[in-house]
Amino acid sequence: MTEPAITPELVQKHGLTPEEFERIKTILGRSPNYTELGIFSVMWSEHCSYKNTRPLLKGFPTKSEKILVGAGEENAGIIDIGDGLAIAFKIESHNHPSAVEPFQGAATGVGGIIRDIFTMGARPICALNSLRFGDLTSAEVRRLFSGVVSGIAHYGNCFGIPTVAGEVYFDKSYEGNPLVNAFCLGVLRHEQIARGAAHGIGNPVFYVGPATGRDGLAGAAFASQDLTDESADQQRGAVQVGDPFMEKLVMEACLELLATGAVAGIQDMGAAGLTCSTCETAARAGTGIEIDLSKVPQRAPNMTPYEIMLSESQERMLIIVKKGREVEVQTIFDKWDLPWAEVGFVTDTGQMVVKNHGRLIVDIPARKLADEAPIYHRESREPAYLEAVRRFTLQGISDTTEPAQNLKALLGWPSIASKNWVYRQYDHMVRNGSVVYPGSDAAIVCIKEDSLPVLPDGTFGPKFKEKFIAMAVDCNAVYVYLDPYEGGKIAVAECARNLACSGAVPLGTTDNLNFGNPHNPEIFYQLRKSVEGLAEGCRAFNAPVTGGNVSLYNQNPNGAIDPTPTVAMVGLIENPAHITTQWFKDEGDIIVLLGEIIDDRDTLLGLGGSAYLQLIHGLKTGNPPRINLENEKKLHDGVRALITAGVVKSAHDCSDGGLAVALAECCISQQIARETPRLIGATVDLTEFGSLRSDALLFGETQSRIILSVSPTQLEAARTDALKLGLQFREIGVVGGDRLTIRGSQSNLSAQLTELHDPWWNAIARAMQ
C-alpha cells in the first residue's frame, strides 16, 4: 500500500501545527513518514501530552508521607494505608467517544481505567463515575444517557467489579457533549507495586491479550479536537469496542505473572495503543525499545503499520519480561487461553524502533516523543459574562410563598433527585466488600484478605486488621462557571465534607479537568483559576493529587460546556464503629446544625448559582457562596472527632438545594430493601431567624454546614465536645413522625414524606419512560 505524501493539509488533519511539524523534522533530522506522523500526532495530542495544561498541573500539591507512587510517575498513584497495604486509584475521561457511541464509549472508559489499576500490580476492587448530560427533556440526551449508563453497567457488571458511588448532573451546556469520567480503586501490598518501565537491556517484550484490529484508530487525537457533527461522523472508527470478559482474563493472568517476579515492566495499551506503551516504557527507563509489527497478533487482514501502531483495540498489555523467563509468560497466558506474542526487545539506544517484516518503519527518540512534547502557555482572559454575574442582586427576586412546592420541585429536579435509576443498573455488591452502598454521602468498601493479589507463595500474605475505604466524587460546575476559583475550592471541600460525614480521613485526590477549547483565552482563564482553587483545597485538607486526567475541547457548535473540574477523593476509616451514614436513625433523636445557618457576609445569602435560583427562577447567575477553607477544615476535623467519640448517629452535608433539601434527604434516603424506603420525619424550628428571607434560609447553599442527629442522652456531651472544638453547634429540631415540618417566622414548610419521596425517587425513571 502506498503511503500518502506528507503535505501541510495532512499535517493539519493530524492536529499538528506547522511549528510542531518543523520541530518533528528537527528531532528526526528528516521529514517523518506517514506512520511517524501519526505517532507524533497521538503522543503530542493534549490527551497524551498535556501540552496546554502541564504548567498549570505543577501547581497541585503532590507529596505526603503516605504517597508511594506520585502524580505523573506511572499509570495511577499509590497511597500507603498501613500494615504494608496500599491503594491505587485514578479517574479518567471518555467524553468524546461516549458522545459518538455512548454504549461502547462509556464501556471502554471503564475498561481503560481498570487496566490502569491492575497495571500497577493492584487488584481492582471498586469503581465510581461522574456523568454530565444535557436536559433530559431532549430525546437525544435520553439516548446518550441511557447508552452511557448501559455501557458502564455492562462492563463493570461483566468484569465483576462493584460500582459503588458517583454523581450525575444535567445542564444544557452539555448538550451533544456529555462527560463520562470513570474512577477505579485497587489494593496491593507495598512489595507488589509494578512499574511501567522497559528495564533490562536485551529483555524480551511481549504483547499479551486479544489481537489488534482497526477499532479505536487515533482515539487520543480524536479526544483532543473540538466535537462537531462532522468530526463525530468521521471518528466513529476512533471509538473502541470492549470485551469485559476478556479483560477479566487478562487481569488474572497479569496478576499471576507479576507474582512470579518474571516481569521487569508492564504497561497497558490505552490511549495511543501500542505507540504509547512502547515509547513511554522506554522513556521511563531511559532505554530504547524495538518491535516488529509482523509479530503482533492482528484480527483484520492487510493492516498497515499506521493502523497497527495507532489502534486502540482494548484489553491489550505490553510486558517486558526478564530474559530467560519467557516460558513463564507463555505457560500462564496459555493457561488462561489468552493470545501472547514476543514482539521485540529492550535496547540501549534510547530509540523507539518499529519494523515490519524486518523493514524499518519508525525510528524516533523515545523520550522526545513521550516526555518532550511542546508546552504552551496559553493566553488567559477573564470571561466577559462574569461582569454581569457579579452585578446580580436579589432585588426583584421575590421571596418564596410556596416553600413546600419549591422543595418538591427541587427534589424532583434530575440533578438533585435520587440516582437510583442509574445505580440499580450497576452491581454494587459483587465481591462482597461494599459496606455503604450508593445513596449516602460517601461509599465505603471493606478491604479484606481476598481483596489483594496473591503473593509468589500463592497466599495473600500476613493477616491484617480489616480497613475501610471511603470514596466520593463531586463538582458543582455551575459554581465553577460563575467563579472558577471559588468553584474549584468548593469542589474539593464538598468532596472532603462527604468523607468527613462518613467518618473518613482524606488520603488523596484524583481529578478530571473537563473544559472547552484552551485556545480560547476565556476558557483558559476558567481552567487556570479553577486549578488554583483545586490546588488550594487539596492543600487545606492534606489530600494531595495523585494523578488524574485532562479533557479539553469539550464543546459543540453552540459553545463550551460549563467548566467541570471533577474531584474524586479517597479516605480511610480505621474503626468500623465509626462508619456513619446520612439518614436519620431513631424517633426522638435531636437534629443539630454545625456551621452558620447562613453567611450574612454574602449579599446573595447563598442563593447565587443555587439550584433554587436555576429551577424556580430560571436564572444561572450570581456569585456562588464563599468558602473559608480554614473554617471548613475545622468543621471536618470536628465532625470526625464527634463521630469517634460515639455521639453522632447520622451526618449529612448541606449542598445542592440547601438546608431544606438536606433535611428531606435525611428523612427519605434510607433503603432497607429493594423498593422499600424507611421514611422517618422531622420537625425543625427556624423561627429565631425571623429577619432572613425564607428562600435563603431554606434553599440557600451557604457552605461549611453539616446536619447531625444525636441521641437525647448524648446531646450535652456532643454540645460540650463541639464547643471545645470551636464548632458552631445549634439544636434545630427533633426526629420523628411522618412529615417534614420546618417552622419559620415568615413561612412554614410541611409535607408528607411520601409526597417528598415520590418525586425524589422516581423523577429520572419517569423522564426516561
Side-chain angles (χ1 to χ4, degrees):
M1 178 179 176
T2 303
E3 291 189 343
I6 307 300
T7 63
E9 292 75 22
L10 188 65
V11 171
Q12 182 181 25
K13 186 177 179 181
H14 278 75
L16 294 164
T17 67
E19 294 76 17
E20 289 170 344
F21 183 66
E22 290 302 315
R23 181 168 176 167
I24 291 168
K25 290 199 293 185
T26 300
I27 290 170
L28 297 178
R30 56 179 171 80
S31 185
N33 61 40
Y34 181 55
T35 302
E36 289 172 330
L37 183 70
I39 285 172
F40 273 104
S41 170
V42 293
M43 291 306 299
W44 282 10
S45 67
E46 177 64 31
H47 190 80
C48 290
S49 73
Y50 301 150
K51 60 188 178 184
N52 294 295
T53 52
R54 193 169 290 188
L56 300 181
L57 302 182
K58 291 179 179 178
F60 282 139
T62 57
K63 304 294 183 185
S64 85
E65 67 281 359
K66 294 184 179 295
I67 290 183
L68 302 177
V69 176
E73 293 181 34
E74 294 285 349
N75 293 284
I78 298 183
I79 290 185
D80 173 31
I81 58 172
D83 295 329
L85 306 180
I87 51 174
F89 60 90
K90 188 182 182 184
I91 192 169
E92 280 206 343
S93 63
H94 233 220
N95 300 339
H96 283 186
S98 299
V100 174
E101 292 285 354
F103 182 91
Q104 290 294 350
T108 52
V110 174
I113 198 66
I114 290 173
R115 284 196 303 279
D116 278 342
I117 299 308
F118 72 75
T119 297
M120 300 304 302
R123 177 173 289 280
I125 64 167
C126 65
L128 58 80
N129 53 72
S130 173
L131 311 176
R132 299 288 193 285
F133 298 91
D135 194 316
L136 266 184
T137 59
S138 161
E140 174 63 9
V141 168
R142 293 195 298 273
R143 183 187 74 83
L144 291 171
F145 181 37
S146 178
V148 164
V149 172
S150 296
I152 292 171
H154 166 73
Y155 209 99
N157 295 355
C158 293
F159 182 87
I161 186 171
T163 302
V164 294
E167 61 167 2
V168 190
Y169 279 86
F170 301 89
D171 186 279
K172 288 186 177 180
S173 78
Y174 304 105
E175 296 275 355
N177 200 132
L179 302 186
V180 178
N181 296 175
F183 167 102
C184 185
L185 179 141
V187 185
L188 72 170
R189 293 188 181 274
H190 292 194
E191 64 269 26
Q192 293 176 310
I193 295 174
R195 297 283 183 170
H199 289 300
I201 307 305
N203 277 341
V205 175
F206 274 75
Y207 170 116
V208 300
T212 295
R214 290 189 171 96
D215 51 323
L217 279 176
F222 170 47
S224 304
Q225 302 169 0
D226 284 349
L227 185 62
T228 64
D229 291 340
E230 182 181 3
S231 72
D233 287 339
Q234 292 172 348
Q235 294 294 345
R236 291 192 189 280
V239 179
Q240 309 91 328
V241 177
D243 182 346
F245 298 109
M246 177 65 75
E247 178 135 316
K248 173 68 170 174
L249 297 176
V250 171
M251 180 194 73
E252 296 296 350
C254 286
L255 292 179
E256 183 175 336
L257 180 63
L258 286 167
T260 68
V263 175
I266 183 169
Q267 172 86 347
D268 76 301
M269 297 187 202
L274 192 54
T275 290
C276 185
S277 57
T278 48
C279 71
E280 284 191 351
T281 52
R284 287 194 188 109
T287 59
I289 195 166
E290 181 175 320
I291 63 171
D292 193 310
L293 298 182
S294 64
K295 300 177 181 179
V296 172
Q298 299 163 42
R299 70 168 183 264
N302 304 316
M303 288 189 70
T304 66
Y306 181 99
E307 291 172 330
I308 297 169
M309 290 300 295
L310 271 62
S311 167
E312 293 185 10
S313 294
Q314 296 291 285
E315 292 90 37
R316 304 174 302 156
M317 306 288 287
L318 194 78
I319 302 178
I320 295 88
V321 179
K322 294 176 182 177
K323 194 169 182 62
R325 305 190 68 174
E326 295 89 342
V327 173
E328 292 170 79
V329 181
Q330 299 163 11
T331 300
I332 289 172
F333 277 83
D334 282 346
K335 167 192 165 182
W336 288 97
D337 197 23
L338 288 169
W340 59 267
E342 186 176 337
V343 298
F345 54 91
V346 179
T347 70
D348 61 0
T349 65
Q351 295 290 113
M352 171 189 174
V353 174
V354 179
K355 295 181 178 179
N356 191 27
H357 297 284
R359 183 170 67 89
L360 183 65
I361 302 296
V362 171
D363 190 359
I364 302 173
R367 183 158 284 169
K368 295 285 186 184
L369 184 60
D371 297 337
E372 298 182 25
I375 300 297
Y376 297 106
H377 298 266
R378 297 294 180 194
E379 180 188 353
S380 173
R381 183 176 67 245
E382 182 177 286
Y385 69 81
L386 288 181
E387 183 180 347
V389 167
R390 294 180 185 129
R391 285 201 312 267
F392 177 76
T393 70
L394 294 178
Q395 185 177 356
I397 304 295
S398 58
D399 200 351
T400 179
T401 57
E402 298 182 324
Q405 293 304 112
N406 294 158
L407 176 58
K408 292 173 188 176
L410 283 165
L411 290 171
W413 197 39
S415 290
I416 288 179
S418 168
K419 306 308 184 293
N420 71 86
W421 183 88
V422 176
Y423 64 71
R424 281 175 53 186
Q425 297 183 53
Y426 305 153
D427 188 336
H428 51 264
M429 300 173 70
V430 64
R431 296 190 56 82
N432 197 32
S434 305
V435 178
V436 175
Y437 304 142
S440 193
D441 282 325
I444 299 173
V445 296
C446 176
I447 295 179
K448 306 171 295 182
E449 183 181 68
D450 66 356
S451 302
L452 292 160
V454 296
L455 293 169
D457 62 4
T459 72
F460 295 112
K463 299 290 184 181
F464 58 89
K465 181 182 175 183
E466 289 183 342
K467 297 179 183 295
F468 299 87
I469 301 297
M471 291 154 287
V473 59
D474 277 294
C475 179
N476 187 319
V478 172
Y479 287 176
V480 184
Y481 170 75
L482 298 174
D483 188 328
Y485 176 65
E486 287 294 324
K489 288 196 296 182
I490 289 172
V492 178
E494 185 176 348
C495 216
R497 198 183 311 138
N498 284 329
L499 295 190
C501 288
S502 73
V505 177
L507 294 173
T509 303
T510 177
D511 63 85
N512 208 136
L513 305 178
N514 305 277
F515 289 81
N517 191 324
H519 296 268
N520 181 332
E522 295 190 348
I523 298 292
F524 198 75
Y525 174 92
Q526 295 174 336
L527 176 56
R528 180 171 64 83
K529 297 301 288 186
S530 66
V531 166
E532 291 174 7
L534 293 181
E536 188 172 336
C538 290
R539 280 190 290 269
F541 303 111
N542 192 27
V545 174
T546 62
N549 176 242
V550 177
S551 176
L552 305 183
Y553 305 94
N554 288 293
Q555 52 193 72
N556 57 50
N558 295 323
I561 63 164
D562 282 351
T564 311
T566 303
V567 174
M569 193 176 289
V570 176
L572 178 66
I573 304 173
E574 293 279 3
N575 186 339
H578 300 155
I579 294 172
T580 308
T581 50
Q582 71 181 35
W583 38 84
F584 292 144
K585 302 300 186 293
D586 297 301
E587 301 254 350
D589 285 345
I590 307 302
I591 303 169
V592 171
L593 177 68
L594 298 182
E596 296 181 358
I597 189 74
I598 211 161
D599 179 6
D600 56 15
R601 296 174 298 279
D602 175 5
T603 58
L604 300 183
L605 305 175
L607 289 172
S610 66
Y612 174 82
L613 202 62
Q614 293 175 66
L615 180 63
I616 305 303
H617 293 281
L619 296 171
K620 185 175 167 180
T621 189
N623 286 323
R626 308 292 91 184
I627 188 161
N628 181 309
L629 292 175
E630 184 178 346
N631 289 344
E632 184 82 30
K633 176 67 161 56
K634 183 192 295 185
L635 176 69
H636 299 187
D637 291 342
V639 167
R640 279 190 291 267
L642 293 174
I643 289 171
T644 302
V647 298
V648 174
K649 284 192 171 183
S650 71
H652 184 32
D653 77 312
C654 293
S655 57
D656 300 345
L659 185 62
V661 165
L663 286 165
E665 290 171 340
C666 292
C667 295
I668 64 177
S669 60
Q670 184 181 11
Q671 288 286 307
I672 57 175
R674 183 180 174 90
E675 295 291 351
T676 310
R678 178 176 182 262
L679 307 180
I680 184 166
T683 301
V684 174
D685 190 342
L686 303 179
T687 54
E688 64 178 288
F689 307 105
S691 61
L692 295 173
R693 290 177 59 119
S694 293
D695 54 5
L697 190 62
L698 294 171
F699 308 117
E701 297 174 7
T702 294
Q703 295 295 293
S704 306
R705 299 184 298 171
I706 292 175
I707 297 169
L708 306 180
S709 64
V710 178
S711 168
T713 60
Q714 296 278 10
L715 180 62
E716 289 312 311
R719 190 194 313 273
T720 300
D721 288 349
L723 295 178
K724 285 180 181 177
L725 293 164
L727 302 179
Q728 294 170 301
F729 183 98
R730 179 174 281 107
E731 181 182 345
I732 61 171
V734 63
V735 175
D738 60 0
R739 303 182 71 86
L740 171 62
T741 299
I742 306 176
R743 299 193 185 101
S745 62
Q746 299 186 44
S747 62
N748 293 327
L749 185 161
S750 185
Q752 284 280 350
L753 296 183
T754 52
E755 295 176 3
L756 300 180
H757 181 269
D758 178 68
W760 176 77
W761 184 258
N762 295 310
I764 292 179
R766 286 173 180 151
M768 295 301 292
Q769 287 177 351

